[in-house]
Each structure stands twice: as structure tokens, then as C-alpha cells.
């Protein structure tokens, strides 16, 4: 029931760019899968279609046995971390992180505590009461990651979330992510063009060839977890 299935998923944009070519892949519940491939091979596009943010040109992606319409309406248990932090500028950092919890009906006090906890985890406890514009780019990304983690989604979609971070922060957040994944059994779809990151984090690597992206191989990573 809780798997994610890509079936012949293809995308050709309006301008004729073929971004993804017949992707067939099933991701089981609790799997940590990484889409690995060169820039422009359609990784982001695949992820966006999984979230219902982009229409497939052909084929489709099924999330938890839901129809595409249901996926778009039922986003409470799906969280997305984009390459851009996408914070709401008129809400303070804490209120940005609280938002998805509020939408899910988590009581205010509990939502505040959870949001504060994850903000502490990403090293931003001191910045809870400031507006996003006061933060650096890397700090905004950490807020965006905290917001996704606080929501405790069943499916977490992450598009190069660590690319803009310094090495120390990256390593810390990678470990936190693995911890959360093990604890919550979250299904994670992760995008990177970094081979080391893919091997380090995921249980499965879907290797994609240069655009129009095709799945070239699926590798099961069987290494001791850090
Ligand atoms: P990746 O995430 O692997 O870097 P993307 O999914 O972002 O690749 O892009 C795949 C291809 O589709 C690229 O050639 C990119 O330029 C193109 N592309 C992405 N979004 C659009 C769009 N909205 N309109 C036209 N072309 C696009
Ligand atoms: P990042 O690597 O997260 O992009 P920067 O190199 O821009 O961070 O900033 C380095 C440090 O400067 C941050 O970790 C933070 O402690 C501090 N800093 C950045 N912006 C602000 C701000 N608006 N107010 C206070 N401190 C800040």
C-alpha cells in the first residue's frame, strides 16, 4: 500500500525539451532511494511529478495507491525540500516550521515544541523569532529542511537539499536525516549528482543517464550504516 511506483513516466516540456524518458521504478515503503545522474537528466522533474507539481507527458507515478488527483489533495503526509528554501517571508522562522503541523491539526503547543526541537537540531535555535530575510542562504535551507522533518511525512522528497551547505553542516544534517529515516521509517526519494552522497545515504541508487533522462541501472547499497 505505501509504495511509490513510476510507470513509463515521461516528460517533454512545452518548448520541446525531453526531460525524462519512460522511467519504470518501484520504491518500497521505508526505502531510501537516490536518483543519481548528471545535471539536466530529469531528476528534479521526476521528483516534481511524484509530488504532483508537474504533469507527466506520458505514463505516471502512483504514490501510496492514490490517483494523481488524490496525491495533490492529500499532501499532509508528503514533504518536499527543494533546492530553493521557499520560506514564507512574512512568517518568522518558527512559524514557517510550524505551518505544516498546523495544517495537519497538531495542537499549537505540541507543534511549537516539535518545531523548536527540529530547529535546534539544524542549529538554528537562536533564530526562531527572526524573519527568513535575516538569514543567510545556508541557514534558510536548514529551515526548509527542518520544516520538512517536523512534518514527519510518510514520503520525503528531497532535491539536492545539502548542495548549498558547508561541509560541517552537510555532514551533521546527513546523519540527522539517516537517524530520522531509521526511526520514523520514512520513505525517502533523494536527488543528488554527488556519488559519495548517494552511496553514503541511500539503500538504493537509481542511476540515470544524461538527458533525456533514462534509468540506466538500479543499485542496492549494502554497506554498514554510519
Ligand atoms: P536535473 O534535476 O537532473 O538537473 P531537471 O529535471 O531539472 O534535471 O531538468 C531536465 C531537463 O529539463 C533539462 O534539460 C532542463 O533544462 C529541462 N527543464 C526543466 N524544467 C523545464 C521547464 N519548465 N521548461 C523547459 N525545460 C525544462
Ligand atoms: P551559510 O554557510 O549558512 O550560508 P554564512 O556564511 O552566510 O552561512 O554565515 C555564516 C554565519 O554568520 C552563520 O552561521 C551565522 O552564524 C552568521 N549569520 C549569517 N547571517 C546572519 C544574520 N542575519 N544575523 C546574524 N548572524 C548571521
Amino acid at each position: 500500500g505505501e509504495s511509490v511506483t513510476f510507470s513509463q513516466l515521461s516528460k517533454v516540456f512545452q518548448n520541446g525539451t525531453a526531460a525524462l524518458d519512460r522511467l519504470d521504478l518501484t520504491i518500497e515503503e521505508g526505502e531510501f532511494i537516490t536518483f543519481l545522474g548528471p545535471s539536466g537528466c530529469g531528476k528534479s522533474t521526476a521528483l516534481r511529478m511524484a509530488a504532483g507539481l508537474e504533469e507527466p507527458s506520458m505514463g505516471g507515478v502512483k504514490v501510496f495507491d492514490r490517483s494523481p488527483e488524490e496525491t495533490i489533495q492529500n499532501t499532509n503526509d508528503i514533504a518536499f525540500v527543494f533546492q530553493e528554501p521557499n520560506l514564507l517571508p512574512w512568517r518568522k522562522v518558527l512559524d514557517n516550521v510550524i505551518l505544516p503541523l498546523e495544517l495537519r491539526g497538531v495542537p499549537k503547543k505540541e507543534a511549537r515544541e516539535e518545531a523548536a526541537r527540529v530547529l535546534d537540531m539544524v542549529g538554528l535555535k537562536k533564530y526562531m523569532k527572526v524573519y527568513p530575510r535575516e538569514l543567510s542562504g545556508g541557514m534558510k535551507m536548514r529551515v526548509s529542511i527542518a520544516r520538512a522533518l517536523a512534518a514527519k511525512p510518510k514520503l520525503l522528497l528531497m532535491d539536492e537539499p545539502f548542495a548549498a551547505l558547508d561541509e560541517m553542516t552537510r555532514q551533521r544534517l546527513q546523519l540527522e536525516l539517516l537517524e530520522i529515516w531509521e526511526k520514523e521509517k520514512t520513505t525517502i526519494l533523494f536527488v543528488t549528482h554527488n556519488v559519495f552522497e548517494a552511496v553514503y545515504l541511500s539503500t538504493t541508487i537509481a542511476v540515470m543517464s544524461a538527458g533525456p533522462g533514462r534509468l540506466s541501472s538500479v543499485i542496492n547499497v549494502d554497506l554498514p550504516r554510519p
Side-chain angles (χ1 to χ4, degrees):
E2 305 281 82
S3 59
V4 177
T5 304
F6 296 84
S7 313
Q8 293 282 296
L9 184 67
S10 306
K11 182 70 182 182
V12 179
F13 283 105
Q14 292 276 323
N15 66 3
T17 305
L20 196 66
D21 187 16
R22 287 165 293 171
L23 175 65
D24 274 314
L25 186 68
T26 295
I27 297 142
E28 301 299 341
E29 181 179 358
E31 217 175 326
F32 191 144
I33 188 158
T34 294
F35 288 103
L36 175 70
S39 201
C41 75
K43 305 181 297 294
S44 296
T45 303
L47 220 60
R48 292 174 59 80
M49 288 194 282
L53 298 171
E54 198 90 66
E55 287 277 330
S57 308
M58 196 189 85
V61 46
K62 209 170 180 67
V63 177
F64 307 157
D65 290 333
R66 291 173 195 163
S67 68
E69 295 75 34
E70 286 170 329
T71 299
I72 293 163
Q73 284 158 14
N74 197 349
T75 51
N76 279 353
D77 52 7
I78 301 175
F80 208 128
V81 180
F82 297 93
Q83 291 176 48
E84 300 291 318
N86 287 300
L87 304 176
L88 299 177
W90 59 88
R91 294 187 77 140
K92 289 178 179 170
V93 164
L94 182 68
D95 298 322
N96 263 279
V97 178
I98 283 176
L99 186 61
L101 296 165
E102 269 178 11
L103 293 176
R104 236 187 31 211
V106 175
K108 251 202 158 57
K109 183 163 176 288
E110 199 180 313
R112 286 183 71 86
E113 283 169 7
E114 179 57 15
R117 195 187 65 79
V118 288
L119 280 167
D120 189 18
M121 191 175 85
V122 299
L124 291 177
K125 198 175 183 164
K126 281 195 304 193
Y127 299 93
M128 293 197 298
K129 296 295 171 57
V130 308
Y131 287 96
R133 65 170 175 273
E134 297 176 55
L135 302 180
S136 73
M139 291 160 88
K140 282 184 210 155
M141 265 323 286
R142 277 140 67 191
V143 177
S144 170
I145 292 164
R147 179 177 56 186
L149 296 178
K152 294 221 175 59
K154 279 194 210 155
L155 177 63
L156 179 55
L157 304 163
M158 304 184 97
D159 191 353
E160 307 227 23
F162 305 135
L165 301 178
D166 64 87
E167 193 54 33
M168 293 260 287
T169 308
R170 190 203 326 270
Q171 284 182 15
R172 189 153 47 80
L173 290 189
Q174 284 173 339
L175 279 172
E176 291 291 355
L177 181 62
L178 284 177
E179 244 171 57
I180 285 166
W181 169 71
E182 275 174 3
K183 197 166 116 214
E184 310 283 343
K185 310 272 179 274
T186 315
T187 305
I188 302 181
L189 264 74
F190 191 95
V191 162
T192 188
H193 58 258
N194 182 325
V195 181
F196 297 103
E197 190 167 65
V199 172
Y200 181 59
L201 291 177
S202 44
T203 55
T204 309
I205 303 175
V207 184
M208 292 170 64
S209 58
R214 305 196 60 174
L215 185 63
S216 70
S217 55
V218 178
I219 299 167
N220 290 311
V221 183
D222 190 12
L223 289 170
R225 315 298 302 173

